[in-house]
Amino acid sequence: MILLKKLIFAPIFLIVFSVLIFQISPLLSSYDFIFSLSINTLISLITLCALISLASFLFVLFAAIASDWKISLPVGLICSAVPFIFIPSALAIVFAVVILVGLLIVNLSLDSTLKSYLTFKPTSLLGPAVKNLTGLLILAFCVIYFLSISKIIPQKGFQIPDSLIDTALKMAPADLSAQSNSMPAQLPTISPEQIELLKKNPDLVRQSGLDPKILDTLSQPRSTKTTQNPTNDLIKQTIKNQVQSTIKPYLSFIPAGLAVLLFFLLSSFVFITNLFISPLLWLTFLILEKTGFAKFETEMREVKKLVV
């Protein structure tokens, strides 16, 4: 019965941790979500950070109730094996090692704390351990994200997401937008024959700092909305080419930069979700006490004082 009580939170922790790894897996091959400002991306990041905080909370709660290395260590080993289900083996090995080391560090620190406290206060005793474990989980994710994106960028290159450029254009000053809207009337019309000639001589287009692919968009039929402002695609493509040419010499540093950005992004959201950890700890142990799952004993100890 006692063993069952000590293990009761282990399956819940493993389930939540498995869902967390399942949510992390698709992000390892993309960097668009870091720059995206959409509501869907925001909700996904908040959900991911909530899972990180919840998984950390459940492990610390399980380790505190178990208070036995013979119980918590096997659960930690099972936890470190979960990434092999959802993540490529090369990355899963690194992730598993970092996760296992993080769990051992937190368990060791928690074990030392629970052996030296005088009055059991869950928020002050277990709260720091939960926050430390959330930081270690974020660090582990950023490490494998760096390793993954370091292989993807040299193969596929790095492209500034269109959503970021669209947002920047929307935030441009009003006078700039008005000027861009007035440009179509001043631009000459390009005939299909001229477009075909430019397609046969793409170097002429490159000399103007433009991508020859933009000729394909000019030859396509435009909607009424597009014809009202035909320079939008041209401005967008020009800005994109300028940014790409600027960051090209620093392409090797981009994976590290993305990993650092991801670390600060997740840390910011986890800081918000961790605000609920202290109330959750207090409520959890209140429920455990009221249901008779756990009990507290008051001890009278002798105190030795110096009197001169």
Side-chain angles (χ1 to χ4, degrees):
M1 184 63 180
I2 297 178
L3 180 61
L4 181 61
K5 283 186 174 182
K6 291 185 176 183
L7 285 172
I8 192 169
F9 289 102
I12 306 175
F13 161 68
L14 292 175
I15 292 173
V16 173
F17 185 79
S18 299
V19 175
L20 172 62
I21 303 302
F22 177 76
Q23 293 290 330
I24 285 176
S25 179
L27 302 180
L28 295 176
S29 58
S30 173
Y31 50 79
D32 291 345
F33 70 95
I34 298 179
F35 303 100
S36 178
L37 302 176
S38 66
I39 298 298
N40 292 334
T41 302
L42 181 63
I43 294 175
S44 299
L45 289 176
I46 293 176
T47 303
L48 178 64
C49 293
L51 288 172
I52 292 175
S53 296
L54 183 59
S56 302
F57 166 79
L58 289 172
F59 177 80
V60 171
L61 183 62
F62 155 71
I65 293 177
S67 297
D68 190 347
W69 280 91
K70 295 179 181 179
I71 298 176
S72 56
L73 183 59
V75 174
L77 291 173
I78 296 174
C79 173
S80 61
V82 171
F84 288 92
I85 302 175
F86 305 103
I87 299 176
S89 57
L91 297 175
I93 292 174
V94 178
F95 198 29
V97 171
V98 178
I99 289 295
L100 183 59
V101 171
L103 294 179
L104 292 177
I105 292 175
V106 171
N107 203 351
L108 179 63
S109 174
L110 187 63
D111 186 60
S112 176
T113 301
L114 294 178
K115 287 181 179 179
S116 59
Y117 73 89
L118 296 178
T119 301
F120 186 82
K121 296 180 179 180
T123 56
S124 58
L125 294 176
L126 307 183
V130 175
K131 295 177 182 178
N132 291 336
L133 185 54
T134 56
L136 291 172
L137 289 177
I138 293 174
L139 180 62
F141 176 37
C142 291
V143 168
I144 63 168
Y145 180 78
F146 167 74
L147 296 176
S148 176
I149 213 71
S150 295
K151 296 180 180 179
I152 294 175
I153 289 181
Q155 296 175 355
K156 301 182 180 180
F158 177 78
Q159 296 288 333
I160 297 295
D162 292 339
S163 58
L164 186 63
I165 298 178
D166 292 337
T167 304
L169 290 176
K170 291 179 182 179
M171 297 175 63
D175 57 344
L176 180 60
S177 299
Q179 181 180 0
S180 63
N181 290 333
S182 64
M183 287 178 63
Q186 303 172 3
L187 291 176
T189 303
I190 302 178
S191 63
E193 293 78 8
Q194 292 174 328
I195 293 176
E196 291 298 328
L197 180 62
L198 290 174
K199 286 183 178 181
K200 296 178 181 179
N201 298 275
D203 292 337
L204 297 176
V205 182
R206 293 192 183 96
Q207 290 176 3
S208 301
L210 301 176
D211 191 338
K213 293 181 180 179
I214 198 173
L215 297 175
D216 296 331
T217 62
L218 294 176
S219 59
Q220 294 174 355
R222 298 175 179 272
S223 62
T224 305
K225 184 178 179 180
T226 306
T227 55
Q228 292 177 354
N229 194 359
T231 57
N232 281 345
D233 293 339
L234 182 61
I235 294 175
K236 181 178 176 180
Q237 185 65 40
T238 303
I239 294 175
K240 191 172 184 179
N241 291 338
Q242 290 177 348
V243 174
Q244 292 297 139
S245 61
T246 301
I247 65 176
K248 187 175 182 179
Y250 310 99
L251 202 61
S252 58
F253 299 100
I254 289 179
L258 291 174
V260 172
L261 284 176
L262 179 62
F263 179 81
F264 285 109
L265 182 65
L266 294 180
S267 298
S268 301
F269 284 109
V270 165
F271 175 79
I272 298 175
T273 57
N274 279 347
L275 295 177
F276 299 94
I277 293 299
S278 294
L280 188 59
L281 283 170
W282 176 82
L283 180 61
T284 299
F285 279 94
L286 178 64
I287 294 174
L288 293 179
E289 182 182 9
K290 295 299 183 181
T291 56
F293 183 88
K295 61 181 181 178
F296 297 93
E297 296 179 352
T298 303
E299 298 179 353
M300 304 296 294
R301 299 184 182 183
E302 295 184 357
V303 179
K304 184 179 181 180
K305 295 185 176 181
L306 174 63
V307 178
V308 179

